[in-house]
Amino acid sequence: MINDSALLESRSLRDSVLDRTDVLDRVKALSLLPDGMHVTTAMVAAYFEVTVEVVRQLTKRHREELQANGMAVLRGADLRQFESDNVSLSTDSYPQARRSLTIYPRRAVLNVAMLLRDSDVARQVRTYLLDMEYLARTQPVENSPQPDAASLDDRIDQRITHILGKTVVPMFNALIETSGEHRRELIALRAGVQHIERRLQQHQARLRRLESPREDRPLAGVMAAMDAMSGREFEHHIATLLRRDGCTDVVVLGRHGDRGVDITALTSDGRRLVAQCKRFAPHLRITSPEVQKFVGSAKVLHASDVALFVATCRFTPDALSIAEQAGITVVHRGLLEKWAAGDMLRVLK
């Protein structure tokens, strides 16, 4: 298995995995500009949880490589046209009289992840990337799905059984036929190998029984299913749960003009509901700035009666405190699992 530091040192290795941009959303949802294709330097910094200056310095050191992967600096007429097409850039977060704007497509953002040393998010992207690459190189060539841990172990057991039955045992038979002095020892060794072969076959049979689907057992846990979703799929899944629990007029908003929320709806008793959905890796945390931003969108812009912040991870203590003070219902990973499994959220009753 290649250590993730190899990606930091080898451009050829980085180039070989740049098409796997889906890894970015598997680790943490990447917010894009309204064009659905690019992010700014500030958005790259927010994704990797570093300062803008860190990203600028990295861009300066690796400009040629990043430009080869789509990073561009817009100026003049190109900048004005881009700003016109992306109205959200003209907010207080950006200077109105900028002379240039650096934009990054997803491929360039993945490139940054493979260059950025001091970022836990970037490190997680590199680890996830190398795990996927390792599985891709070690699985058979035929078009089969990625193996899970159990099926991979089963394949290894079958291979060992094949080797024992087709090579090792016949070798012992040949040695026994030609040996006189050590015949008894060889017979004992052959018996031991045949015993191991039988135990492996029994083990394979048990695995197949355990892994076979049953009507009273789901094929996969509810959280495992949500962890495998894209950010957009996760939003639609939450909308389905809201409809299940009696909400009406449920709308999953597009990436443009959502004003800081992902879903709007009416509860069964007519209250206005908004929801923010974050499909993050389980080891990450929702922080207080993210909750504060949602409070403004939910309470000020949307004047909601019910505000849900739904995430596949946990929240920091500060984030939980702010949510409680502002009347935001936090649906963390544990509560989300119960909700998806059939329990109704108390705020919807």
Side-chain angles (χ1 to χ4, degrees), residues 7-26:
L7 287 170
L8 296 166
E9 308 299 334
S10 172
R11 179 169 177 179
S12 61
L13 183 57
R14 293 195 293 272
D15 289 343
S16 70
V17 294
L18 276 169
D19 290 332
R20 295 188 176 272
T21 56
D22 59 300
V23 171
L24 295 169
D25 287 317
R26 291 177 181 269

Side-chain angles (χ1 to χ4, degrees), residues 52-281:
V52 171
E53 185 58 28
V54 167
V55 178
R56 285 175 176 161
Q57 291 299 321
L58 182 141
T59 299
K60 186 182 298 184
R61 291 194 302 272
H62 301 278
R63 182 173 299 276
E64 183 270 331
E65 180 178 346
L66 290 168
Q67 286 179 333
N69 288 306
M71 186 193 78
V73 180
L74 304 179
R75 296 183 176 86
D78 290 337
L79 174 58
R80 289 191 294 273
Q81 181 61 50
F82 189 82
E83 288 182 320
S84 175
D85 294 339
N86 293 269
V87 179
S88 64
L89 284 174
S90 300
T91 66
D92 294 338
S93 300
Y94 299 89
Q96 297 298 312
R98 71 166 66 81
R99 295 181 179 178
S100 65
L101 176 68
T102 303
I103 56 173
Y104 307 73
R106 294 173 65 88
R107 187 180 177 92
V109 177
L110 182 59
N111 200 167
V112 171
M114 292 186 282
L115 295 167
L116 192 57
R117 293 178 181 273
D118 300 323
S119 165
D120 290 337
V121 176
R123 193 174 297 111
Q124 178 69 15
V125 170
R126 292 194 295 272
T127 300
Y128 210 129
L129 193 63
L130 290 173
D131 286 347
M132 292 177 64
E133 190 68 10
Y134 176 77
L135 287 175
R137 291 183 179 183
T138 55
Q139 73 174 7
V141 175
E142 62 262 19
N143 295 325
S144 59
Q146 293 282 358
D148 57 22
S151 63
L152 188 60
D153 289 343
D154 193 29
R155 276 217 319 261
I156 292 172
D157 288 346
Q158 291 180 35
R159 182 62 177 163
I160 293 172
T161 303
H162 174 78
I163 292 172
L164 292 176
K166 298 298 183 182
T167 60
V168 179
V169 173
M171 178 188 71
F172 276 125
N173 289 337
L175 286 171
I176 289 169
E177 291 176 1
T178 58
S179 172
E181 182 179 354
H182 300 292
R183 181 182 180 87
R184 182 177 301 172
E185 289 85 353
L186 288 170
I187 291 173
L189 284 172
R190 181 181 66 180
V193 170
Q194 290 173 327
H195 175 70
I196 293 172
E197 182 183 3
R198 287 193 297 272
R199 292 295 298 272
L200 282 171
Q201 290 171 341
Q202 294 169 359
H203 175 61
Q204 291 167 19
R206 284 197 300 270
L207 275 178
R208 283 192 290 270
R209 287 196 301 271
L210 289 170
E211 293 171 1
S212 61
R214 286 183 357 211
E215 292 183 359
D216 61 339
R217 183 180 66 206
L219 290 174
V222 292
M223 291 312 301
M226 282 187 276
D227 288 338
M229 295 177 183
S230 67
R232 195 64 175 162
E233 289 170 340
F234 180 59
E235 292 170 4
H236 282 280
H237 182 64
I238 298 305
T240 299
L241 295 179
L242 290 171
R243 294 188 186 99
R244 183 200 71 189
D245 291 344
C247 292
T248 59
D249 295 337
V250 180
V251 177
V252 179
L253 301 175
R255 297 187 182 277
H256 311 316
D258 61 8
R259 301 173 72 192
V261 302
D262 297 317
I263 300 172
T264 62
L266 294 176
T267 64
S268 59
D269 56 359
R271 290 171 294 161
R272 180 169 177 76
L273 178 147
V274 297
Q276 176 73 273
C277 305
K278 295 294 185 184
R279 209 286 304 154
F280 284 2

Side-chain angles (χ1 to χ4, degrees), residues 259 272-274 295-306:
R259 301 173 72 192
R272 180 169 177 76
L273 178 147
V274 297
V295 170
S297 298
K299 299 297 184 180
V300 179
L301 296 180
H302 292 272
S304 63
D305 302 306
V306 178

